Amino acid sequence: MDNLKSIERATDSLSTLPSIGRKSAERIAYSLLDLGEDSFNELIESITALRKEIHECPICGNLIDDEGCPICGDEERDRKVLMVVSYPKDILSFEKSKQYHGVYQVIKGVINPVKGEEIAPEVIKHLITRIKEEKIEEVIFATSPTVEGELTASYLASKLKEEVDIKISRLAYGLQMGGNLDYVDALTLGKALEGRTNIKG
């Protein structure tokens, strides 16, 4: 017997999420039917709020749900050091480690020639402009130690060196090539930050 059309539709939508295969998506769809009305409505409202209430900080690209970014607005942070990360969730990893006290810039992805993915020109322009205007003294590339992450760091470093004369460094990761920041513990991130190395042009 074929699935009900609504189950199929929900399964199709859920399976587009990262790390959720079609079987898992189907199980989740059926599980939603078992939720009480209050729990189901709360789930729907919380998902809707993600789209309505969360937006990007116009300065660093971090996700915020207020008008002001708590990191960009923190006067206690070292504004001479800028860490470049691929995604907003990477900022959370470093903030949890409590090892970094500078500011951030999200570049919204990595360069992946196979998938045709690249860093948008306006993102690179914003990064360079911010470095100049805020008189940044060091840029730390904290993209994940994957082939794409390394390519991204190398490419952006070369772009920066064409425009500004500052220290450019790369985290000294204590994890295997191909890892992701999501799974790195606070101690490892701290050591990676301490042992960062200069990117030579």
Side-chain angles (χ1 to χ4, degrees), residues 1-199:
M1 185 180 79
D2 293 334
N3 268 330
L4 299 171
K5 290 181 180 179
S6 294
I7 291 290
E8 281 294 314
R9 182 180 178 186
T11 299
D12 289 342
S13 297
L14 290 166
S15 62
T16 63
L17 296 174
S19 304
I20 297 183
R22 189 160 187 82
K23 284 292 184 182
S24 295
E26 186 177 75
R27 284 195 293 270
I28 294 172
Y30 275 103
S31 295
L32 292 175
L33 294 176
D34 295 329
L35 289 177
E37 185 174 354
D38 289 344
S39 296
F40 186 85
N41 289 336
E42 170 59 25
L43 176 62
I44 296 301
E45 289 176 10
S46 66
I47 292 175
T48 301
L50 287 175
R51 301 291 293 186
K52 287 185 176 181
E53 299 176 10
I54 295 180
H55 54 281
E56 291 182 359
C57 168
I59 298 174
C60 70
N62 190 23
L63 295 179
I64 56 177
D65 55 10
D66 292 315
E67 289 187 10
C69 174
I71 295 178
C72 291
D74 185 355
E75 296 297 333
E76 298 298 317
R77 303 192 78 98
D78 184 355
R79 298 180 178 279
K80 298 299 182 183
V81 182
L82 176 71
M83 180 178 288
V84 175
V85 297
S86 294
Y87 309 101
K89 62 183 179 180
D90 297 333
I91 292 179
L92 185 59
S93 296
F94 281 98
E95 287 301 287
K96 285 181 177 178
S97 76
K98 298 182 179 179
Q99 301 291 319
Y100 176 71
H101 307 288
V103 290
Y104 299 91
Q105 183 63 56
V106 179
I107 55 173
K108 304 178 182 180
V110 292
I111 297 173
N112 189 327
V114 176
K115 295 183 179 180
E117 298 173 352
E118 57 185 27
I119 305 302
E122 59 268 24
V123 171
I124 300 176
K125 181 179 179 180
H126 174 75
L127 173 62
I128 294 172
T129 299
R130 186 180 176 194
I131 290 170
K132 291 179 178 179
E133 291 182 349
E134 298 184 17
K135 296 180 173 58
I136 301 295
E137 296 179 357
E138 179 183 4
V139 171
I140 304 171
F141 282 100
T143 51
S144 292
T146 59
V147 172
E148 295 79 14
E150 295 292 335
L151 177 60
T152 302
S154 178
Y155 175 76
L156 291 181
S158 66
K159 284 291 184 181
L160 293 188
K161 289 179 178 179
E162 293 175 0
E163 300 284 342
V164 290
D165 181 20
I166 58 171
K167 180 180 179 181
I168 302 176
S169 58
R170 180 85 168 106
L171 291 189
Y173 287 100
L175 70 163
Q176 295 180 343
M177 184 69 177
N180 286 295
L181 289 178
D182 303 37
Y183 307 107
V184 185
D185 61 88
L187 179 60
T188 300
L189 280 179
K191 293 298 183 183
L193 188 58
E194 290 177 6
R196 62 186 182 274
T197 56
N198 291 342
I199 296 179

